[in-house]
Amino acid sequence: MNINVLLFGSLAEATGKSQLEINNVLDTETLRSKLLREFPKLEKYKFVIAVCKHVVKSNTILHEGDTVALLPPFAGG
Amino acid sequence: MLNPEELLRYNRQIRLPEIGEAGQEKLKSSKVLVIGAGGLGCPVLQYLTAVGVGTIGIVDFDKVDESNLQRQILYSVDDVGKLKVDCSVRKLTRQNPHVRFITYNLQLTNQNAIDIIKNYDIIVDGTDNFATRYLLNDACVLLDKPWIYGSIHRFEAQISVFNYLNKNKIKGPTYRCLFPSPPLLELEGNCSEIGVLGVLPGIVGMLQANETIKIITEIGDILSGELLILNALNLQFHTIGIERSETSLQAVPVSEAQFTKTAYGQFCNTVTKELKHEVSIEELHRLMSENRENIQLVDVREQNESPQIEELKEINIPLVEIIDKAYNIDRNKKVIIFCKSGVRSAIAIQLLQKKFGMKNLFTLKGGVNEWLRSVKNKI
């Protein structure tokens, strides 16, 4: 199962990637732990998760081809 | 009522059937507060003034700095060192004498926010930090005001309209519904720390002004319940849906009295600068010439972040790794921690003090920016 992950702001800088493909994750929680294993730096960042263009607040089942966006808050202005 | 001069001036937008004279009168009788007259605030102010918003409030505590001119296009070289509220009103009044301006030369706090915000219909966010955004959000929730969020990170931006009551009397989400809690530490730097391309706040500020005008004139669709993310490098726009969350809203103070007691700076881990832990550039020059072997210089910027200063090179620990690599920090020397402007170094000290109780840490006031200025002045 392929999930397309978009990373924004500081998360893209911390991982060096603005887009990723992650395989074999059933839900957003397993996606989160898989990302943290691959990019331990992310542990210190706060971000919200959006699945298919909608912010989700609890663990959400993922489907083949879903796009998940990781959104940190921005400070500047 | 619009006078003949105004009818002439606003003719091009009155011609739009969606606006008309009625819409123009709504603009004239509206009151908009802009918090921060910086990168976002400048374009917001310029366009709201041009289109004829009747009353505009401007909150800003800062003075114009030379480094603002690359993006804050209300200001010119003559304004450097002067108050932003004064310079902006001078320029804006020339742009449109029909607008009434009210200035607040202060920092928005839990003590003054309610009294200021309650006089306005719509609030536009031109702030540059998390503490003020949470404070602004809560004040707007308490006072039932919509506010227009804009924020920037390097080439990216986020925009949304929060706490907006739509035509069906349904209230949209707030900043807390999107981001229930602030970042653990300010890893999310502001423009002075991480840089910003001059045009980006211009684009974002104009989108904020556009939302403001649509709310006032009641036309179009409002960016409520949605977060717009844009990337200036690849010109991609993403729209993400957000729900109002009663759970997240429970964190908003229940009353104005409680609001004034809420410590927003602490909530957002904002660093309160302690002067005794600060070293000025002059002092650093002195220490380096008299006592170099007894001080340690720690650069907490990213690896190879420019500009690299030969004289200040000793060890580099990016802020994110400061706790993990704290073993590199000398416990016996006077440790001078620095970054670009002094924000990250102050956070590093706070983290190290909290975790290890280190007492020998000092932040370099003004950071590399100030160092370069001192060197330039010497030449």
Side-chain angles (χ1 to χ4, degrees), chain B residues 301-315:
Chain B
R301 297 178 298 163
E302 295 301 303
Q303 247 172 21
N304 301 321
E305 184 175 320
S306 63
Q308 289 289 321
I309 315 267
E310 221 34 63
E311 298 99 302
L312 299 181
K313 267 192 185 159
E314 191 169 336
I315 59 170

Side-chain angles (χ1 to χ4, degrees), chain A residues 6-13 41 43-48 50 53-55 57 69 71-77, chain B residues 39-40 127-130 133 151-154 156-158 177-179 181-182 187-188 229 238 240-241 243 320 324:
Chain A
L6 304 176
L7 300 97
F8 291 92
S10 52
L11 307 179
E13 284 143 29
K41 266 188 177 179
E43 190 118 27
K44 297 195 170 75
Y45 290 84
K46 280 257 171 95
F47 54 88
V48 297
K53 300 192 166 208
H54 217 95
V55 170
K57 285 290 161 65
L71 316 166
F74 296 166
Chain B
L40 296 172
T127 66
D128 63 356
N129 65 83
F130 295 113
R133 287 207 178 86
S151 69
I152 283 172
H153 183 96
R154 295 188 205 261
E156 291 175 65
Q158 296 176 343
C177 307
L178 175 61
F179 298 116
S181 52
L187 289 173
E188 314 294 344
I229 306 168
H238 299 266
I240 308 277
E243 306 276 337
V320 198
D324 302 341

